[in-house]
Amino acid sequence: RKVSDTMIKVRETLVRLADDSLNTDQRAQYEAQYTALRTQIENFITDATYNGRSLLDNTTATLVTTRNEEGTTYTINAVDGAGTLVVAAAPTTATAAQTALGAGGDFELIQTAISDALNTFGNDSRYIDNQIAYNKDKADALESGLGALVDADLAKESARLQSLQIRQQLGTQALAIANQAPQSLL
């Protein structure tokens, strides 16, 4: 997202550099601003790492994540951030800036690559978020089902215990009655 936001500023600077009425000092200032923005984009791409991996470096990063308890995986592919998401050096003439801004120019190609990368990462992010929510709901349902089974087993065992206690009480009463019969005879 930061690369995309910075590209807006790059476009603004390119539009200013495309103005052929700029004097030498103004052009130098805009070229310096453009170069600073370009460096900022390169730094964003370089710093976009986690655990030594970057989805903006397709030579080192393809992330494979486990989707479910069966071990099914989902692959997130990296894009060539260093090669396709960085704008060229600052144009030194108004004509070069106009060409970069024009249809099929450097800026348009890079803006398209950034949009494609954002779209790809957005789709991957939504998929992973949905899978996490699904797995959480599934785990909650399994836990609830397990709880119901445990509760059912506890209720069954409780009923069995109560039945045994009643049998014991009845047996004790029957024995007491049986013991009273010989005393009545005596």
Side-chain angles (χ1 to χ4, degrees):
R1 176 93 174 124
K2 292 293 183 184
V3 173
S4 181
D5 292 344
T6 306
M7 285 298 287
I8 293 169
K9 295 174 184 171
V10 169
R11 176 183 283 281
E12 291 170 359
T13 306
L14 264 176
V15 168
R16 290 180 183 126
L17 285 169
D19 182 2
D20 53 1
S21 67
L22 294 175
N23 64 37
T24 306
D25 186 46
Q26 290 171 323
R27 181 162 303 283
Q29 288 176 6
Y30 285 128
E31 286 175 8
Q33 183 180 0
Y34 181 96
T35 301
L37 291 170
R38 181 177 188 269
T39 301
Q40 191 174 14
I41 291 171
E42 288 173 338
N43 290 340
F44 286 147
I45 291 169
T46 302
D47 294 343
T49 60
Y50 180 76
N51 283 340
R53 301 177 90 180
S54 171
L55 288 175
L56 296 176
D57 181 0
N58 66 355
T59 61
T60 62
T62 294
L63 300 177
V64 178
T65 183
T66 304
R67 284 183 352 160
N68 54 33
E69 74 277 0
E70 294 175 1
T72 307
T73 60
Y74 181 73
T75 302
I76 302 169
N77 295 310
V79 298
D80 182 14
T84 60
L85 303 182
V86 178
V87 293
T92 57
T93 66
T95 305
Q98 292 165 2
T99 301
L101 283 169
D106 181 54
F107 183 83
E108 181 183 325
L109 295 174
I110 292 167
Q111 189 66 44
T112 300
I114 289 171
S115 296
D116 290 347
L118 285 173
N119 187 40
T120 299
F121 293 146
N123 288 336
D124 287 340
S125 177
R126 273 189 299 282
Y127 179 86
I128 290 171
D129 288 344
N130 288 337
Q131 189 67 42
I132 288 170
Y134 172 76
N135 287 346
K136 183 182 179 312
D137 291 346
K138 190 174 180 181
D140 289 347
L142 289 172
E143 189 174 314
S144 174
L146 180 61
L149 287 174
V150 169
D151 290 346
D153 286 347
L154 287 176
K156 181 179 174 184
E157 292 302 319
S158 176
R160 179 188 276 160
L161 176 63
Q162 196 171 20
S163 170
L164 289 173
Q165 287 173 339
I166 291 171
R167 283 184 188 174
Q168 184 181 17
Q169 288 173 354
L170 288 174
T172 303
Q173 286 178 351
L175 187 60
I177 292 172
N179 283 339
Q180 285 179 353
Q183 285 181 356
S184 298
L185 291 174
L186 289 174

